[in-house]
Every structure is written in structure tokens, then in C-alpha cells.
Amino acid sequence: MKNFFIWAHRGASAKAPENTMAAFRLALEQGADGLELDVHLTRDGVPVVIHDATVDRTSNGAGAVSAMTWQEISLLDAGSWFDKGFFGEPIPPLVEVFQWNAGRLKVNVEIKESAAADAVVEVWRRFPGTPLVVSSFDQSLLEELSRKEPGPPVGFLCDNRDWLPVAEKAAACRAWSFHPAQEMVDALLVKTCHSLGLAVFPWTVDGPRRLETLWNIQVDGVFCNDPGSVRAFMDRFSTEDIADAKDIH
Ligand code: G3P
Ligand code: MG
């Protein structure tokens, strides 16, 4: 893994409609190291990439994903709400992302409902070359996944200021990573998680000041909406940092 891992949050979602192939293609172009995406399950059991439980906010349709078939979902326009230039951009099935990615970027599948878990694992097993981490706010689900053989690496999401029990549970599950809301991250959290063997990836970070602070307290990377600008900032910052280090020694 690179020194500072840049996750494209819902793809390059600052400049393309979130959780679409357009956003994932742009993330790759912009130099992201990994894709974060959210998954729900259709009524007929297809894992699809969408953040909300309904299609209302991010498409021209209405209704719960769990009440719609894949065929119904596939006809929706998930691009125009963001910008008319993205007219016709569909909601992708998870398998399409894995196919297109072909192992180039690490993928973080965030499971939004436990019903989708088995379908996600099935897709992962079909694409063994894809580096994957499955994350969720549902700790019981992650515990269950971590007991599967073979099971995908898991990452514990946490938006609870009382983060220590969550980090300890993650370590007990041999999780790969801990994904805290960025506002709760400080040096103690990072140090503790590292001592528990967990990589730390805060979400969602785009501003340079916060990036610099997080870099200084040694997070392993961030989730961001604009991987291009974070890449540019981090490249400049880490080069300066290395130059400074040379001056010191
Ligand atoms: O995985 C980090 C982040 O995506 C969690 O929150 O609501 O953006 O899915 P949300
Ligand atoms: Mg997410």
C-alpha cells in the first residue's frame, strides 16, 4: 500500500454523479488508489451501487431499492440530477464495477443493509484478483463476515465518539481497517488503532488543512470526494515533507 491511500468516496463524486461508472472512471483518471461505493439489494437479489435506501435522491425514479427489480433499476437515469451532461448514466450492478476495474483499484464495498452481504461475498469470490475491503456500520454483520472461510477483509465504520470499544471489536475480528468520521480523529485514535493492528481511514476529507493535520498524525489515507485535488495536494505536501526531512538529517 502507498504511504497515503486515497479513497474516492462514492467515486470522484465531487465532479461526477456519485456511485456511477462515470464517477469510478474519473477516480481512476484522477489517481485514486481505491474506490468506495455503497451497496443495496434489489427485490430480485441483485447487489446494486447506490447510497440511499431509495432511488429518489440520485435518479429520476422513486421508491425503495428493495421493492424494485434489477430490470426496473437498470432503466433509471442516475446522472441528470447531478448535471445534464451525465444524462442516462445508470445505477451500476456491483458486478459491473468489478468487471471494469479488473483489479486495478482496491475496492471498498460499504454494505448498507445486511441482506446484501451474501451477494457481495459471491461477487468477490468471482473476482479473486480484486483487492477488497467490506465495510459497514453494522458491527454484527462484520463479525459474521469475518468468520466466513474464505471471508473478505473487513473495515469497521464508526461515527461514535466512544470509538474505543468499536476499535477493540474490530481488532477482535481481525479487521483490516477502521473508518472513523473525520471529525473524531486525533493522534490518540490513530495510535491506538495502529497498536491494535488496524489501518485508519477517516471520511470524508477534502480540505487541505485537515488533510495536512491527518497526514501529520499518521492516518493511512482518507476518503475524499475529489481525489484529483487530494492527490495534487498530497504529492506536493509529501515531497516537501521529504525535502524537509532531508534538511534535518
Ligand atoms: O465509507 C465511508 C462513508 O461512505 C460512510 O458514510 O454515508 O457516505 O456512506 P456514507
Ligand atoms: Mg459510504
Side-chain angles (χ1 to χ4, degrees):
M1 196 170 72
K2 291 184 186 171
N3 286 341
F4 194 88
F5 197 90
I6 299 177
W7 291 103
H9 180 245
R10 311 182 194 175
S13 57
K15 302 217 166 113
E18 65 180 58
N19 283 324
T20 63
M21 294 309 299
F24 302 140
R25 281 192 298 269
L26 189 57
L28 179 66
E29 278 168 32
Q30 291 188 347
D33 300 302
L35 303 173
E36 189 265 359
L37 53 85
D38 308 287
V39 166
H40 284 272
L41 201 64
T42 64
R43 193 175 85 210
D44 49 348
V46 177
V48 289
V49 183
I50 184 168
H51 179 272
D52 299 357
T54 72
V55 299
D56 302 27
R57 179 178 62 85
T58 55
S59 84
N60 60 342
V65 177
S66 60
M68 301 171 83
T69 64
W70 160 241
Q71 167 72 10
E72 287 165 337
I73 296 266
S74 69
L75 299 173
L76 298 177
D77 167 11
S80 296
W81 71 273
F82 183 83
D83 185 293
K84 289 202 171 20
F86 290 100
F87 168 77
E89 190 66 39
I91 294 172
L94 181 62
V95 71
E96 185 179 349
V97 182
F98 276 66
Q99 264 160 356
W100 163 81
N101 182 48
R104 287 174 292 186
L105 299 176
K106 196 171 175 84
V107 179
N108 173 198
V109 174
E110 182 186 343
I111 299 184
K112 287 295 190 190
E113 51 173 339
S114 57
D118 286 346
V120 168
V121 171
E122 204 178 299
V123 171
W124 171 62
R125 287 181 179 159
R126 281 176 58 193
F127 294 87
T130 298
L132 175 75
V133 58
V134 172
S135 67
S136 181
F137 285 104
D138 184 338
Q139 295 169 28
S140 312
L141 172 66
L142 295 177
E143 275 181 305
E144 206 177 297
L145 282 175
S146 68
R147 283 196 294 267
K148 278 191 190 293
E149 215 26 87
V154 297
F156 276 60
L157 276 158
C158 181
D159 57 3
N160 183 342
R161 290 202 174 269
D162 190 14
W163 52 267
L164 185 56
V166 186
E168 285 172 341
K169 186 176 276 186
C173 291
R174 296 170 172 271
W176 178 61
S177 51
F178 191 65
H179 306 183
Q182 64 89 13
E183 58 273 15
M184 56 194 256
V185 177
D186 59 15
L188 175 65
L189 181 149
V190 178
K191 206 170 158 211
T192 306
C193 287
H194 284 169
S195 71
L196 290 168
L198 302 164
V200 180
F201 301 111
W203 47 274
T204 305
V205 186
D206 284 293
R209 284 220 181 120
R210 188 63 179 144
L211 272 170
E212 187 172 341
T213 303
L214 291 168
W215 162 272
N216 284 331
I217 61 173
Q218 296 181 356
V219 300
D220 299 280
V222 292
F223 293 91
C224 64
N225 296 316
D226 190 4
S229 66
V230 172
R231 167 65 63 213
F233 177 79
M234 291 314 302
D235 283 352
R236 197 171 61 241
F237 186 70
S238 53
T239 309
E240 284 165 10
D241 197 49
I242 290 161
D244 286 352
K246 279 189 190 138
D247 287 349
I248 293 164
H249 300 292

